[in-house]
Amino acid sequence: MVKGDRATWKAKYFVKIGKLLEEYPRIFIVGADNVRSKQMQEIRVSLRGMAEVLMGKNTMMCKAIRAHIPNNPSLEKLLPHIKGNVGLVFSKEDPVAVRDKLLENKVAAPARAGAIAPVDVMVEAQNTGMGPEKTSFFQALNIPTKIAKGSIEIVSNVHLIHVDTKVGASEATLLQMLGVKPFHYGLVVENIYDNGSVFAPEILDITDEQLIGKFKSAVANVAAVSLEIGYCTQASVPHSLINGFKKVLAVAVETDITFPLAEGIKAYIADPSAFAAAAGPVAAAVEETAAPAKKEESEEEESDDDMGFS
């Protein structure tokens, strides 16, 4: 309820949002569809010390933000995202922690006719406990049933409601009769403003490994393009050096020109048997270590054969 005259209340609201815009560098734009006053109160309590929730009419929020744009021009990026039933959550904490805390505060709710389903709804095979007189109701929804012990039993799982579709009156009635509350409602993070940048909440799920993988892929692409067009970049320098060394090594192998790194290759080409002889003792050592193991296995097999059955 608005206390005092409306003009005074509006003035206090604009002062409050002005202080929040100055104090907090991070703002979450959250959808508040199907969130009731009691749940909103619980959300405010759970966020105490971490964030502040501000609700209000979109026109008032936009007007307050526009009034603050001369002090912080980047706030103008918020305006296109304030549409629908939304609120603002102000915080200085880690955005991932705040997002997770918002997601924790959801409550189960029944499916109401005409509502848009946020998730798919499946009805599992079960004994409903309803009498046979309700059979026609299930048949109208194309749900396979049978009568078991005097009650209706759903014989297989049924995809009753698809995500992002309207809930029909029959579907809502059935779920109510089964005592199923398929939906969970709470504040939904739609966009995040952080020190002048606005981004989607999915950005928070990007891991360091994903960033490193994308960076490596980009560097590889830059190196490939640079090598193809003959334009030297930091990404292509290592590849250019290796390719150059291969060409110099090939010339040294075919001529009398030599250098320290080429001497090993030239020696191998001149006498491969010397390297084979050097590798011989290593191979022999491997065979010697393998031989006792085989011998132990054969002894174990013999002992198993003699375990009281001879």
Side-chain angles (χ1 to χ4, degrees):
M1 295 293 293
V2 178
K3 297 181 180 180
D5 62 282
R6 189 165 185 80
T8 304
W9 178 81
K10 282 187 176 181
K12 291 181 178 179
Y13 182 87
F14 289 137
V15 170
K16 181 178 180 180
I17 193 172
K19 289 181 179 179
L20 293 174
L21 290 171
E22 290 179 358
E23 182 179 356
Y24 293 95
R26 193 169 294 117
I27 304 171
F28 295 76
I29 303 172
V30 295
D33 290 337
N34 301 298
V35 178
R36 302 194 174 188
S37 57
K38 182 179 179 181
Q39 184 183 359
M40 183 64 71
Q41 184 179 2
E42 294 173 352
I43 292 173
R44 292 180 187 276
V45 172
S46 67
L47 291 175
R48 191 169 295 167
M50 176 181 287
E52 289 197 39
V53 181
L54 180 71
M55 305 299 295
K57 291 185 176 180
N58 292 356
T59 53
M60 293 182 63
M61 289 191 287
C62 289
K63 185 177 180 180
I65 291 172
R66 288 192 184 97
H68 207 73
I69 286 177
N71 300 331
N72 187 358
S74 61
L75 289 174
E76 188 174 3
K77 299 177 182 178
L78 284 171
L79 297 177
H81 303 288
I82 299 179
K83 53 186 178 181
N85 186 18
V86 298
L88 302 178
V89 177
F90 298 83
S91 179
K92 297 178 182 178
E93 304 298 326
D94 178 24
V96 176
V98 178
R99 189 273 309 271
D100 292 344
K101 179 63 71 172
L102 289 171
L103 293 178
E104 289 176 4
N105 289 277
K106 289 190 174 184
V107 296
R112 290 185 171 83
I116 302 298
V119 295
D120 289 311
V121 178
M122 301 291 296
V123 175
E124 297 182 354
Q126 59 182 293
N127 190 311
T128 64
M130 303 178 193
E133 68 276 3
K134 299 286 187 180
T135 302
S136 58
F137 184 81
F138 287 89
Q139 290 176 344
L141 292 172
N142 296 321
I143 298 176
T145 60
K146 68 178 182 179
I147 304 301
K149 297 181 180 180
S151 60
I152 298 174
E153 180 178 328
I154 300 174
V155 298
S156 61
N157 295 344
V158 178
H159 196 164
L160 186 64
I161 304 172
H162 293 270
V163 65
D164 294 331
T165 60
K166 278 190 177 182
V167 179
S170 299
E171 289 86 350
T173 303
L174 173 62
L175 292 171
Q176 185 176 2
M177 289 191 299
L178 294 175
V180 177
K181 294 182 177 181
F183 302 150
H184 292 79
Y185 294 123
L187 294 181
V188 179
V189 180
E190 296 182 355
N191 288 281
I192 302 170
Y193 170 89
D194 192 349
N195 291 303
S197 300
V198 178
F199 52 89
E202 291 77 15
I203 300 297
L204 300 178
D205 296 323
I206 297 177
T207 62
D208 292 341
E209 290 75 14
Q210 290 174 320
L211 289 175
I212 293 172
K214 292 289 186 181
F215 179 77
K216 288 181 177 179
S217 177
V219 170
N221 291 337
V222 171
V225 173
S226 300
L227 293 172
E228 183 66 24
I229 66 176
Y231 185 82
C232 185
T233 62
Q234 287 185 347
S236 66
V237 165
H239 301 279
S240 297
L241 291 175
I242 292 173
N243 292 337
F245 172 74
K246 290 179 180 178
K247 293 177 181 178
V248 172
L249 183 61
V251 171
V253 169
E254 294 294 330
T255 65
D256 294 333
I257 300 173
T258 187
F259 54 91
L261 293 177
E263 290 177 357
I265 300 296
K266 299 184 79 169
Y268 176 80
I269 294 174
D271 186 10
S273 60
F275 290 85
V282 177
V286 172
E287 291 178 357
E288 289 177 0
T289 55
K294 291 182 179 179
K295 186 176 181 180
E296 290 177 2
E297 290 178 0
S298 62
E299 290 177 354
E300 290 179 357
E301 290 177 357
E302 291 176 359
S303 61
D304 291 339
D305 293 339
D306 294 338
M307 290 179 65
F309 296 100
S310 57

